[in-house]
């Protein structure tokens, strides 16, 4: 039995490591590792950026575009656990030109350690799943990629804050297409989601490229009554102004070059960032705004009753703009730095590994790959129950087989000795040692002969055995038969426990797994088939594993029980046969044939 257990454990340990490398889903033929590295060796963010929409920029230098769908509909991004599907948005995908721009919603970008994502592709049947409304968290109130040419800019977020005026499209910007500014301002809607309460947190960010440097150029302007909030550029020096208070000159930007500018406001402080680094700050809080804002130009102040509105005070910004974002939250400094570093042409935040091709992974391997720790604990318990039950069944089967064969051989010797004294087999050593060792009938016969010898040694006449003596010998044989039955039924209770308990253990794992699936889905705030189905399948696998353990144990138990009953019946028949022969040949009431007359 120990050898059987050792062999089973060895086989299990050889199989499990292979299962741990299972593919996310079998329908995807390829995957590519992507490393998000915010440590000092990578982007060196120096802090926790948190949830970040990371730009994945694919080109012929890091991706071959072979095997992927024409429009990138089969692209899927999965976290390093190879289970959690990440939201993404495709801004541009052109395999003919060999370029793709994809925003991936990374739940947490930490400067403490690098993390790995998987980009899966190569499934022609996969429907498109890109969704910008899910990729950007709800605190983003406006995100313009300017991907559509010569139309009002469309908002990627769920708020739908589309531009009120059309823009002139510009190709070859820092991220795909951009917009040309300088003629008329790009007007943003006066929607409730873009309104600001006094002192409310706020973040503005954009990539800008001035065509020429001038004085007092307006980049982002909000005015209402006597309140104003301005982000602008003065002779190449970005500035922020709140109600007439302007920030001190800081890091300048260059004409003809792309620069990332961001402004973050929280309670009592407004900070200007250039290239992801703090450039200036003023101690102020944003006033309340409900009117529309302008990008790339100034807007007239709203006049008090009975007074004329004053005209624009700032010159329009002449240049291009790309990736405009507004947030109703004060974004972490590390997130602003991550945007500046990762969205440029040379990102230090993302690194790409070699593509991998799936080698015939089965659906069962996909389910195993989706199993959480609690499911593995249940499966491990069921695996232990399976190993023990199979070891018992194999051991019992071999034992019962050897006992049946030995009993058959002994009965052949016993019947051949018919007519001879009952102890002739014990005295002649005709029965082989292996038969004596395995046969339960031999042990019954041996105890009966031993009882007869004891009585002979005490002076009893064994040629005239009384009914009481026969009953005593039969009782001794019955005692041995009971012990033999107990020996055969030893550890059979484990099989019955496995039959009844394994399905309940599997069902327990299924219930816990389904509970965790719904809890995780609720915490993530989004439920889709790709995120829920793997966990549900893994949870149901626990029930299947419980049935897979119980069903063979049930069949084995019934088969062993029938073998045990047959051996028990053979022993009962032998006890009756031996007692009958003893009473007939050596009993006190036997009929003695008259002596033969000699001629």
């Amino acid at each position: 039995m120990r050898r059987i257990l050792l062999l089973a454990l060895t086989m299990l340990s050889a199989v499990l490591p292979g299962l741990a490398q299972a593919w996310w889903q079998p329908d995807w033929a390829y995957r590519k590792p992507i490393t998000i590295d915010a440590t000092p060796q990578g982007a060196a963010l120096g802090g926790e950026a948190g949830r970040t929409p990371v730009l994945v920029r694919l080109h012929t230098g890091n991706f071959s575009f072979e095997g992927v769908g024409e429009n990138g509909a089969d692209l899927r991004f999965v976290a390093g656990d190879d289970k959690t599907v990440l939201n993404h948005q495709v801004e541009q995908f052109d395999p003919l030109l060999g370029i793709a721009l994809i925003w991936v919603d990374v739940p947490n970008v930490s400067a403490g350690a690098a993390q790995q994502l998987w980009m899966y592709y190569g499934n022609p049947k996969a429907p498109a799943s890109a969704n910008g409304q899910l990729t950007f968290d709800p605190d983003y109130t406006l995100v313009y990629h300017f991907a559509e040419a010569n139309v009002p800019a469309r908002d990627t977020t769920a708020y739908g804050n589309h531009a009120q005026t059309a823009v002139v499209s510009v190709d070859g910007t820092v991220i795909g297409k951009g917009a040309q500014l300088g003629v008329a301002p790009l007007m943003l809607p006066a929607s409730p989601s873009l309104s600001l309460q006094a002192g409310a947190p706020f973040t503005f960010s954009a990539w800008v490229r001035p065509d020429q440097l001038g004085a007092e150029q307006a980049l982002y302007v909000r005015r209402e009554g006597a309140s104003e909030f301005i982000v602008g550029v003065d002779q190449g020096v970005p500035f922020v102004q709140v109600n007439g208070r302007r920030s001190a000159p800081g890091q300048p930007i260059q004409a003809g070059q792309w620069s990332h500018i961001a402004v973050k406001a929280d309670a009592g402080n407004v900070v200007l960032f250039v290239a992801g680094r703090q450039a200036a700050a003023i101690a102020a809080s944003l006033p309340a705004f409900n009117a529309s804002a302008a990008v790339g130009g100034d807007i007239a102040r709203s006049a008090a009753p009975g007074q004329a509105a004053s005209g624009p005070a700032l010159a329009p910004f002449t240049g291009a703009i790309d990736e405009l974002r507004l947030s109703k939250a004060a974004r972490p400094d590390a997130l602003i730095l991550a945007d500046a570093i990762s969205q440029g042409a040379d990102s230090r935040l993302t690194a790409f590994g070699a593509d991998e091709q799936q080698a015939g992974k089965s659906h069962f391997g996909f389910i195993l790959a989706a199993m959480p720790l609690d499911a593995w604990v249940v499966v491990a318990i069921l695996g232990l129950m399976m190993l023990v039950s199979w070891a018992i069944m194999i051991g019992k089967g071999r034992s019962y087989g050897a006992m049946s064969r030995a009993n058959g051989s002994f009965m052949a010797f016993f019947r051949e000795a018919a007519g001879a004294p009952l102890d002739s087999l014990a005295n002649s050593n005709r029965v082989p040692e292996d038969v004596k060792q395995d046969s339960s009938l031999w042990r019954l016969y041996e105890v009966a002969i031993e009882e007869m010898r004891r009585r002979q040694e005490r002076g009893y006449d064994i040629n005239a055995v009384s009914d009481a003596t026969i009953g005593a010998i039969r009782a001794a044989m019955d005692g041995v038969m009971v012990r033999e039955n107990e020996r055969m039924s030893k550890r059979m209770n484990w099989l019955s426990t496995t039959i009844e308990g394994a399905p309940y253990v599997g069902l327990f794992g299924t219930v816990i797994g389904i509970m965790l699936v719904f809890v995780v889905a609720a915490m993530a705030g989004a439920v889709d088939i790709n995120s829920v189905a793997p966990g549900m399948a893994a949870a149901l696998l626990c029930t299947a594993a419980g049935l897979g353990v119980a069903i063979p144990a049930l069949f084995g138990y019934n088969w062993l029980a029938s073998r045990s009953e047959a051996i028990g019946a053979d022993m009962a028949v032998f006890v009756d046969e031996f007692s009958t022969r003893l009473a007939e040949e050596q009993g006190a009431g036997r009929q003695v044939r008259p002596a033969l007359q000699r001629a």
Side-chain angles (χ1 to χ4, degrees):
M1 179 176 177
R2 291 181 179 178
R3 286 183 294 177
I4 297 172
L5 279 173
L6 181 60
L7 178 61
L9 288 172
T10 302
M11 294 176 61
L12 190 62
S13 63
V15 171
L16 285 179
L19 298 178
Q21 302 299 323
W23 210 260
W24 167 62
Q25 284 195 11
D27 296 332
W28 272 259
Y30 307 96
R31 70 179 182 181
K32 186 179 191 67
I34 302 175
T35 302
I36 308 297
D37 189 1
T39 67
Q41 291 74 31
L45 298 185
E48 302 296 317
R51 182 178 178 182
T52 305
V54 175
L55 176 63
V56 174
R57 189 188 299 267
L58 302 177
H59 50 79
T60 54
N62 57 28
F63 189 57
S64 65
F65 289 90
E66 295 181 2
V68 68
E70 293 183 358
N71 57 356
D74 58 340
L75 290 175
R76 297 294 185 272
F77 293 85
V78 184
D81 59 2
D82 225 352
K83 300 175 184 178
T84 306
V85 180
L86 305 179
N87 297 316
H88 74 282
Q89 180 191 20
V90 178
E91 178 178 342
Q92 181 181 355
F93 190 87
D94 193 338
L96 296 179
L97 295 178
I99 186 172
L101 301 171
I102 306 156
W103 299 96
V104 180
D105 182 16
V106 181
N108 183 34
V109 175
S110 172
Q115 58 179 303
Q116 180 175 281
L117 312 179
W118 293 103
M119 183 182 75
Y120 281 84
Y121 62 98
N123 181 8
K125 300 179 181 179
S129 65
N131 190 332
Q133 296 182 5
L134 298 177
T135 303
F136 293 85
D137 67 61
D139 285 336
Y140 284 102
T141 54
L142 182 147
V143 174
Y144 289 169
H145 297 312
F146 301 104
E148 301 83 7
N150 303 320
V151 296
R154 295 189 58 82
D155 181 18
T156 290
T157 71
Y159 298 102
N161 290 315
H162 309 307
Q164 303 298 296
T165 54
V167 296
V168 178
S169 181
V170 177
D171 291 325
T173 62
V174 66
I175 308 172
K177 293 181 180 293
Q180 181 67 38
L181 301 175
V183 179
L186 173 64
M187 299 303 299
L188 307 183
S191 66
S193 58
L194 293 180
S195 64
L196 292 176
Q197 301 295 325
F202 174 77
T203 303
F204 161 90
S205 67
W207 286 89
V208 296
R209 185 191 63 191
D211 292 339
Q212 57 185 6
L213 302 179
E216 303 288 333
Q217 294 181 333
L219 191 57
Y220 175 81
V221 178
R222 294 199 78 165
R223 298 185 189 273
E224 189 166 350
S227 301
E228 67 175 4
F229 173 55
I230 301 172
V231 181
V233 181
D234 185 12
Q235 299 296 344
V237 179
F239 67 88
V240 59
Q241 181 173 314
V242 179
N243 293 340
R245 299 182 58 189
R246 180 175 294 191
S247 61
Q251 178 181 348
I253 61 176
Q254 303 298 320
Q257 295 183 6
W258 285 99
S259 301
H260 186 267
I261 296 178
V263 175
K264 178 179 74 170
D266 54 14
N269 200 30
V270 179
V271 183
L272 173 68
F273 295 84
V274 177
R277 308 290 181 179
Q278 182 174 337
I282 57 176
S285 297
L286 292 185
F289 290 108
N290 293 304
S292 61
V295 176
D298 203 349
I299 54 179
R301 296 178 183 271
S302 57
Q307 297 180 359
S310 62
L314 300 179
F317 176 84
T318 303
I321 188 172
D322 194 8
E323 199 58 32
L324 172 63
R325 297 181 184 178
L326 303 180
S327 299
K328 59 180 180 180
R331 297 294 178 178
D333 293 359
L335 175 57
I336 296 175
L337 180 59
D339 289 343
I341 291 177
S342 66
Q343 297 171 12
D346 185 17
S347 173
R348 302 191 303 274
L349 183 62
T350 56
F352 300 89
D355 295 62
E356 300 178 7
Q357 183 174 1
Q358 183 177 200
K361 177 184 163 185
S362 66
H363 289 80
F364 188 70
F366 161 62
I367 296 175
L368 290 176
M371 288 179 60
L373 178 61
D374 60 292
W376 279 113
V377 172
V378 172
V379 170
I381 295 173
L382 292 172
L384 179 62
M385 296 176 68
M386 181 190 70
L387 290 176
V388 175
S389 62
W390 274 90
I392 292 173
M393 288 188 292
I394 294 174
K396 289 290 183 182
R398 296 176 60 183
S399 175
Y400 289 176
M403 188 177 295
S404 297
R405 290 189 297 271
N407 286 344
S409 300
F410 172 76
M411 285 304 298
F413 288 114
F414 185 75
R415 291 194 173 95
E416 287 178 1
L422 287 173
D423 60 351
S424 60
L425 287 178
N427 296 329
S428 63
N429 292 326
R430 294 175 56 193
V431 180
E433 290 298 324
D434 57 339
V435 173
K436 293 180 180 179
Q437 181 178 354
D438 296 333
S439 175
S440 60
L441 300 185
W442 166 260
R443 288 185 283 274
L444 294 174
Y445 171 80
E446 189 178 34
V447 73
I449 298 301
E450 183 65 23
E451 289 291 328
M452 292 173 61
R453 288 176 177 174
R454 290 176 183 172
R455 284 163 175 76
Q456 185 178 16
E457 291 173 356
R458 290 198 297 265
Y460 288 86
D461 184 6
I462 61 173
N463 292 320
V465 180
S466 64
D467 292 341
T469 301
I470 294 175
I473 295 174
R474 183 184 181 92
M477 297 178 71
D478 287 339
V480 174
M481 183 171 64
V482 169
R483 289 190 293 273
E484 289 291 329
N485 286 326
E486 290 177 349
R487 189 162 71 95
M488 287 191 296
S489 63
K490 187 178 180 181
R491 294 192 297 273
M492 290 290 284
N493 60 334
W494 176 266
L495 291 182
S496 62
T497 301
T498 300
I499 295 168
E500 297 177 1
Y504 288 103
V505 174
L507 182 61
F508 174 76
T510 296
V511 173
I512 296 298
I514 292 177
M515 289 171 58
L516 291 177
V517 167
F518 286 120
V519 168
V520 172
M523 293 176 64
V527 179
D528 56 72
I529 190 64
N530 287 330
S531 61
V532 174
M536 297 288 286
L540 292 173
L541 181 63
C542 293
T543 297
L547 294 176
V549 173
I551 291 174
L554 175 62
F555 292 161
Y557 181 86
N558 290 335
W559 177 70
L560 292 174
S562 63
R563 296 289 300 271
S564 177
E565 290 176 359
I567 294 174
D570 290 342
M571 289 190 294
V573 169
F574 178 75
V575 170
D576 291 339
E577 184 175 347
F578 186 89
S579 301
T580 302
R581 283 186 59 180
L582 179 61
E584 181 182 7
E585 297 177 9
Q586 298 177 231
R590 72 187 188 282
Q591 294 182 355
V592 181
R593 292 179 299 174
L596 295 176
Q597 299 273 335
R598 293 185 179 271

